[in-house]
């Protein structure tokens, strides 16, 4: 997996492990629920569902496998076990949550073609049959029955009955079948469910059915088909392995910025949450990214790669909040896959905006992956297998790092790596107060500061999304549109006109999304950021200085100042110790507008640190 990112044979092994894991969790749930004093409520005992699953497996092992590996079943299992153990609260009665086991067993029996009659819980106005569909029940009953006789199936509640179609994926009166997307290119197929009905489909929260309209579903199909063609074309991450591990796509209403929202979870093997419409290239990269997460999570269930590593104190070059080493391991593997994807796009794209965009993404992602990998090798307590895994990944990454990229995409990517790291340090690192006071006193008295730099501690605070990555992407992808945006002037700046209104750009609760031009137009990017993206460092430096003087706590402006400075002590200090420069500035200023000149202070610190 470290060398080829996992083909179909590797994914088959991972699926086998996930099936065993699900069976163990299911058995644990049955045992705990059977002894719980508040259960089973109005439903039959949990062991009845277990026995039906055993019958189904004897008739059709594939039917039970389909249920055990259905992502929402994994989410439900983990949530339900935590609730039974008192580790999580839940919506609705406990008997209904645990009783979902009967719906799982009913789905398996229906797929296996077994004659049976079984009670199942009703929720959200109907009965969910996992991996099959949703039957709407017009009355308010708490329990309904699923009946299968002579291969004819129905969901019955009092006088109401919903007859299920022979092909469960089809629509029928009162029945919404679970549908699929399909992508195919040169015989490489990926056909995940597009899940809009299962209450456990979104592993971040339980939600009722939200059926896509025909137009919405067609839009998802078209975007997925176009994205899958791009995934299947590349050979850096085995596309057959990606297709084998993606089992469901869940449209969710979440937005993120400045990259599109996507997510996966170890509790939902094969599931990808996707927020909103996006272009095929971005969607393809997201599918590669999440497939890497899915495979690594399944591998780590089978093979220990890292010990401990849960403290959220480490820098991840793709997120602004401090992360645990285990999360860093996941990110390194995911972004290694994305790097490979963009390397392949760079090879195919040629010159022009497509080539510049691919070069930028390739350069950015390989640098992020390299940085995260170095942190793991320096700080993680790896198992022998984990160390071998990362060193093989390192060998592959070394080949990508040796590849040249054009100057403009390379410069933008390098700047953004520094930008992200500086903002992270200024947000979350706090210099030792005693040493900091000595540095501040030395500045006031114009005396020599301490020989040693202040130690720092990690103190997570609110984070914000950065605007400069979106502007870099726009400049490369749509040079004419970027030029028009810059000619329009963006937002005001302190050195000429109105002070910038950052409220539209400060979205601290968001993590990833790609900003299109209409978003940029609405949020009115700052002129200094536009100048930086255009490569006009003289204008950018003047405007970033104005922003810092107007708002000395504008961390993004401090980072922009460093990116725009020429080589020298001031730039060195801000790149190496931005948290120290910012902290000393805060320490010595007495009121807004009374602080020292930011460049002079950075130059003084840089000359004395020598680093």
């Amino acid at each position: 997996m470290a060398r080829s990112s996992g083909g179909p044979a590797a994914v088959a092994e991972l699926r086998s492990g996930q099936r065993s894991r699900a069976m163990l969790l299911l058995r644990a749930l049955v045992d705990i629920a059977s002894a719980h004093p508040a259960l089973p409520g109005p439903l039959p005992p949990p062991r009845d569902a277990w026995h039906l699953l055993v019958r189904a497996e004897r008739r059709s092992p594939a039917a039970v496998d389909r249920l055990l590996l259905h992502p929402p079943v994994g989410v439900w299992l983990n949530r339900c076990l935590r609730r039974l153990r008192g580790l999580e609260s839940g919506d609705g009665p406990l008997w209904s949550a645990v009783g979902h086991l009967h719906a799982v067993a009913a789905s398996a029996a229906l797929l296996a073609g077994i004659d049976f009659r079984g009670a199942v819980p009703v929720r959200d106005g109907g009965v969910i049959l996992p991996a099959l569909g949703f039957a709407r029940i017009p009355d308010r009953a708490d329990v309904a029955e699923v009946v299968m006789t002579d291969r004819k199936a129905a969901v019955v509640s009092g006088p109401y009955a919903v007859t299920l179609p022979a092909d469960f994926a089809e629509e029928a009166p009162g029945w919404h079948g679970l549908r699929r997307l399909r992508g195919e290119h040169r015989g490489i197929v990926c056909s995940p469910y597009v899940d809009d009905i299962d209450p456990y489909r979104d592993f971040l929260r339980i939600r009722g059915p939200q059926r896509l309209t025909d137009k919405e579903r067609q839009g998802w199909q078209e975007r997925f088909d176009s994205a899958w063609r791009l995934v299947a074309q590349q050979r850096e991450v085995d596309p057959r392995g990606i297709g084998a591990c993606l089992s469901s796509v869940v449209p969710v209403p979440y937005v993120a910025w400045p990259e599109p929202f996507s997510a996966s979870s170890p509790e939902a093997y094969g599931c990808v949450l996707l927020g909103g419409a996006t272009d095929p290239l971005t969607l393809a990269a997201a599918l590669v990214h999440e497939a890497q997460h899915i495979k690594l999570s399944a591998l780590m269930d089978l093979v220990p790669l890292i010990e401990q590593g849960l403290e959220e104190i480490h820098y991840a070059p793709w997120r602004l909040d401090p992360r645990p080493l285990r999360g860093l391991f996941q990110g390194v593997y995911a972004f290694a896959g994305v790097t490979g994807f963009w390397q392949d796009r760079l090879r195919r794209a040629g010159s022009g905006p497509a080539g510049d965009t691919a070069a930028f993404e390739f350069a950015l992602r390989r640098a992020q992956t390299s940085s995260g990998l170095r942190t793991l090798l320096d700080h993680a307590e790896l198992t022998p297998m984990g160390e071998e895994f990362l060193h093989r990944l390192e060998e592959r990454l070394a080949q990508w790092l040796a590849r040249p990229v054009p100057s403009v995409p390379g410069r933008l990517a390098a700047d953004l790596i520094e930008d992200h790291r500086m903002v992270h340090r200024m947000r979350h690192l706090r210099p030792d107060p005693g040493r900091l006071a000595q540095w501040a006193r030395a500045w006031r008295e114009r005396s020599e500061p301490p020989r040693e730099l202040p130690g720092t501690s990690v103190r997570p605070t609110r984070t914000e999304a950065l605007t400069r990555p979106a502007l870099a992407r726009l400049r490369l992808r749509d040079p004419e549109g970027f030029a028009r945006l810059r000619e329009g002037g963006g937002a005001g700046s302190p050195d000429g006109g109105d002070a910038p209104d950052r409220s539209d750009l400060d979205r601290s609760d968001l993590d990833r999304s790609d900003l299109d031009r209409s978003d940029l137009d609405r949020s009115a990017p700052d002129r200094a950021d536009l100048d930086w993206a255009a490569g006009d460092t003289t204008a950018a430096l003047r405007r970033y200085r104005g922003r810092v003087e107007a708002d000395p706590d504008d961390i993004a402006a401090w980072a922009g100042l460093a990116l725009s400075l020429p080589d020298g002590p001031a730039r060195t200090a801000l790149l190496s110790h931005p948290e120290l420069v910012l902290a000393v500035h805060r320490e010595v200023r007495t009121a807004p507008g009374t602080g020292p000149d930011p460049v002079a202070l950075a130059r003084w610190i840089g000359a004395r640190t020598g680093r």
Side-chain angles (χ1 to χ4, degrees):
M1 283 181 59
R3 286 177 174 168
S4 64
S5 298
V11 171
E13 290 292 329
L14 299 178
R15 284 178 61 86
S16 177
Q18 290 299 295
R19 183 196 185 282
S20 297
R21 179 179 184 274
M23 185 63 80
L24 289 170
L25 293 176
L26 194 62
R27 184 65 204 217
L29 184 140
V30 171
D31 291 343
I32 296 171
S34 296
H36 198 287
L39 297 172
L43 290 168
R47 294 196 188 280
D48 287 9
W50 177 265
H51 294 320
L52 183 57
L53 277 168
V54 171
R55 287 179 58 200
E57 187 175 38
R58 287 172 179 164
R59 173 72 66 85
S60 174
V64 174
D65 283 358
R66 181 168 164 182
L67 267 296
L68 291 175
L69 291 168
H70 189 51
V73 171
V75 176
W76 161 73
L77 268 173
N78 284 275
R79 279 181 172 271
C80 205
L81 281 168
R82 287 195 294 270
R83 188 171 176 184
L84 284 169
R85 291 166 173 158
L87 302 176
E88 180 176 299
S89 60
D91 297 330
L94 179 63
W95 69 262
S96 179
V98 175
H100 192 66
L101 173 63
H102 292 280
V104 172
S107 287
L110 289 169
L111 288 170
I114 294 174
D115 288 350
F116 76 101
R117 177 183 289 268
V120 294
V122 175
R123 62 181 301 164
D124 298 315
V127 170
I128 182 69
L129 292 172
L132 301 184
F134 181 74
R136 293 203 173 274
I137 302 297
D139 67 354
R140 296 187 177 182
D142 292 328
V143 175
E145 282 191 312
V146 182
V147 181
M148 179 82 157
T149 306
D150 295 331
R151 305 194 70 82
K152 294 181 180 178
V155 177
V156 180
S157 176
Y160 303 103
V162 176
T163 301
L164 307 190
D167 181 352
F168 298 117
E170 292 181 354
E171 297 289 286
W175 175 254
H176 295 307
L178 183 58
R179 302 171 295 192
R180 289 184 181 273
L181 300 173
R182 180 176 174 81
E184 181 174 3
H185 181 72
R186 295 181 179 175
I188 304 175
V189 178
C190 184
S191 186
Y193 294 117
V194 55
D195 197 341
D196 52 7
I197 55 175
D198 197 296
Y200 296 99
R201 66 190 182 276
D202 178 354
F203 49 77
L204 298 176
R205 65 186 64 179
I206 297 175
R207 60 173 71 246
Q210 294 175 312
R211 195 66 164 170
L212 296 174
T213 66
D214 290 343
K215 183 178 180 180
E216 289 171 334
R217 180 175 176 271
Q218 183 59 32
W220 276 99
Q221 172 56 44
E222 291 172 358
R223 290 190 296 275
F224 184 82
D225 183 61
S226 298
W228 182 251
R229 188 175 298 110
L230 297 174
V231 173
Q233 285 175 357
Q234 58 83 41
R235 291 295 181 271
E236 294 296 328
V237 182
D238 193 321
R240 290 179 172 83
I242 296 174
C245 76
L246 291 180
S247 55
S248 76
V249 167
V250 178
V252 292
Y254 313 133
V255 294
W257 190 80
E259 296 175 23
F261 178 87
S262 68
S264 54
S265 167
E267 296 184 354
Y269 175 78
C271 172
V272 176
L273 306 185
L274 291 172
T278 188
D279 63 276
L281 263 176
T282 306
L283 178 55
L287 293 176
V288 173
H289 179 105
E290 300 304 341
Q292 293 287 92
H293 279 310
I294 290 166
K295 288 180 286 186
L296 183 60
S297 293
L299 178 65
M300 293 175 80
D301 282 338
L302 296 173
V303 181
L305 300 177
I306 182 173
E307 306 289 354
Q308 305 301 321
L310 298 177
E311 302 84 3
E312 297 186 351
I313 60 174
H314 296 278
Y315 172 60
W318 45 82
R319 290 182 59 148
L320 281 173
D321 52 330
R323 298 291 292 157
L325 287 170
R326 284 181 175 272
L328 206 59
F329 204 120
Q330 280 281 355
V332 163
Y333 191 64
F335 279 105
V338 175
T339 301
F341 172 81
W342 284 111
Q343 192 273 344
D344 184 86
R345 295 312 307 170
L346 177 58
R347 180 173 60 84
R348 297 170 183 272
S351 59
D356 287 343
T357 297
F360 166 80
E361 298 291 352
F362 171 63
L364 180 67
R365 299 314 187 188
R366 71 180 180 181
Q368 290 173 327
T369 305
S370 179
S371 172
L373 180 61
R374 182 49 47 198
T375 299
L376 284 172
L377 292 173
D378 288 345
H379 299 287
E381 185 181 343
L382 301 168
T383 66
M385 190 70 73
E387 192 166 345
E388 181 181 356
F389 186 94
L390 288 184
H391 280 305
R392 290 189 182 187
L393 193 62
E394 185 179 33
E395 292 172 3
R396 193 171 181 225
L397 184 60
Q399 299 173 2
W400 292 332
L401 289 169
R403 175 165 182 170
V405 296
S407 59
V408 172
R411 190 273 297 179
L412 290 170
D415 270 9
L416 290 177
I417 290 293
E418 297 287 5
D419 185 21
H420 190 278
R421 188 182 53 78
M422 285 188 289
V423 170
H424 172 90
R425 292 179 68 98
M426 285 187 280
R427 274 286 174 215
H428 305 301
L429 296 188
R430 294 292 178 269
D432 173 72
R435 290 284 187 183
L436 176 61
Q438 294 174 358
W439 277 81
R441 184 168 58 252
W443 167 264
R444 292 191 191 99
E445 297 174 355
R446 297 298 187 267
S447 60
E448 284 297 314
R451 293 184 178 181
E452 295 183 4
L453 291 168
T456 58
S457 58
V458 178
R459 298 183 184 177
T461 62
R462 180 183 63 88
T463 60
E464 71 281 342
L466 301 176
T467 64
R468 285 183 281 266
L471 291 172
R473 289 184 170 102
L474 180 64
R475 178 191 171 180
L476 298 171
R477 185 180 66 239
D478 183 6
E480 293 181 359
F482 174 81
R484 289 194 300 270
L485 185 64
R486 191 174 180 225
E487 288 170 6
S493 60
D495 70 286
D498 299 329
D501 179 3
R502 310 292 297 169
S503 60
D504 288 338
L505 304 180
D506 198 16
R507 308 181 186 183
S508 60
D509 59 330
L510 304 179
D511 191 36
R512 295 196 308 238
S513 163
D514 197 5
L515 200 64
D516 61 26
R517 253 197 74 228
S518 61
D519 290 328
L520 284 168
D521 291 339
R522 285 196 301 270
S523 59
D526 183 77
R527 292 179 184 178
D529 292 334
L530 287 166
D531 290 336
W532 164 82
D536 188 347
T537 55
T538 300
L541 177 60
R542 183 177 69 254
R543 289 191 164 115
Y544 282 129
R545 288 185 70 146
R547 275 177 54 180
V548 171
E549 289 167 2
D551 179 6
D553 289 314
D554 184 347
I555 284 176
W558 277 99
L561 188 70
L563 298 179
S564 305
L565 282 167
D567 289 337
R571 177 180 170 89
T572 298
L574 280 167
L575 291 179
S576 302
H577 310 291
E579 72 284 354
L580 176 60
V581 179
L582 177 62
V584 172
H585 195 277
R586 284 173 173 166
E587 190 81 4
V588 300
R589 71 179 185 252
T590 57
T594 63
D597 175 83
V599 176
L601 177 63
R603 186 183 302 114
W604 177 77
I605 291 176
R608 281 149 182 81
T609 59
R611 287 181 269 170

